[in-house]
Amino acid sequence: MKKSVLIALVALVTMQASAGDIRSGEIWPDDRGIHINAHGGGIICHDQVYYWYGEHKSDWSSAAFVGVTCYSSRNLTDWKYEGVALSVVDEQGHDIERGCILERPKVLFNKKTGKFVMWFHLELKGRGYEAARYGVAVSDTPTGPFRFLYSKRANAGKWPVEFGTMEQAVVDTLDARNYKEWWTPSWRRAVNQGLLLKRDFTGGQMSRDMALFLDDDGKAYHIFSSEENLTMHIAELTDDFTAHTGKYTRVAPGGHNEAPAIFKQDGTYWMITSGCTGWDPNEARMFSAPTIWGPWTQHPNPCRGPRADKTFGAQSTFALRLPDGRWMFMADIWRPRHPSDARYVWLPIQWEEGKPVVEWKDVWGL
């Protein structure tokens, strides 16, 4: 009897050790003993292996001098460095030229094509945040190399699904010459009605901080900050996940949201975002909707614990479904003076009265 109990205890300890613990904000070494360099990223699970994609940051710059890195794991705590999944290039004038800004890469596996599809926020080298594009790349394997396809702005010549005859008539009356002074009450009303949407209608809508979401029915969506980061857009992807269909909606017009992390629980869509304060942390926001197309309702900050009013010093990037059915909130603690030293915050999403809660935990187990 004693022997069987001892064997059971040893097995339990072994299982716990293999799963490991999550310690947010600390150095997370990979299999080489080097702090994981995959910032603003996301994770997919393919053939029982997790693949983590993120921005490679240098010690001195947040620009892209390497590209998108990939790490693999079977337990979400022990990570193997798989190399650079998407490399920047040295060709002058190329969309992903070395020194461009390449942020928040996310990957989906397309069962129909057998391809891994990566989307990311792209700013052209030397142009600051003026370009406001998304980029797309594909690969035959999860670790790459990914082949860059193109970059562009979103949904040129398309109005959002909620715009009917009345909304478009209102937009027709908006004249940018009447709103030269920004941040006034009248300017804000005009933005909510579609002032910036109209400005970028022909050339395409701005696309910055972003996420991807694969729904239960196999449909995929691109969620991104648009309209000078004032309004979130959710855009449907084509069946091969490499382009927009032209169908999209606006979320929280004029709300100034970025850093979306989206997930679905019991038929309700949830999205955690941040405000727009550069590299400085701010209070998380949360929205829900009965369908991906809305209507989206804002809720109070879901964070609980020390520095909850600053999202624990971090900014949202992704929500991952865990093997036990829970969701995990992923965020980045940015270090703009030493970008490669940016840290990670991973916390379990809990539920109170049917709403998500992200509570700080120094240590928690998978």
Side-chain angles (χ1 to χ4, degrees), residues 59-75:
D59 293 340
W60 55 275
S61 174
S62 288
F65 290 96
V66 173
V68 177
T69 47
C70 177
Y71 296 79
S72 67
S73 175
R74 290 188 177 273
N75 61 11

Side-chain angles (χ1 to χ4, degrees), residues 2 19 40 54 79 105-106 111 113-114 117 133 146 168 177 211 224 236 250 265 276 288 332 350:
K2 290 181 179 180
W79 291 95
K106 305 294 186 292
K111 292 182 178 179
T113 64
V117 186
R133 295 184 181 187
F146 280 77
Q168 291 184 35
R177 292 173 295 184
F224 54 98
E236 184 183 67
R250 302 166 81 214
Q265 182 76 16
C276 300
S288 71
D332 297 272
Q350 304 172 80

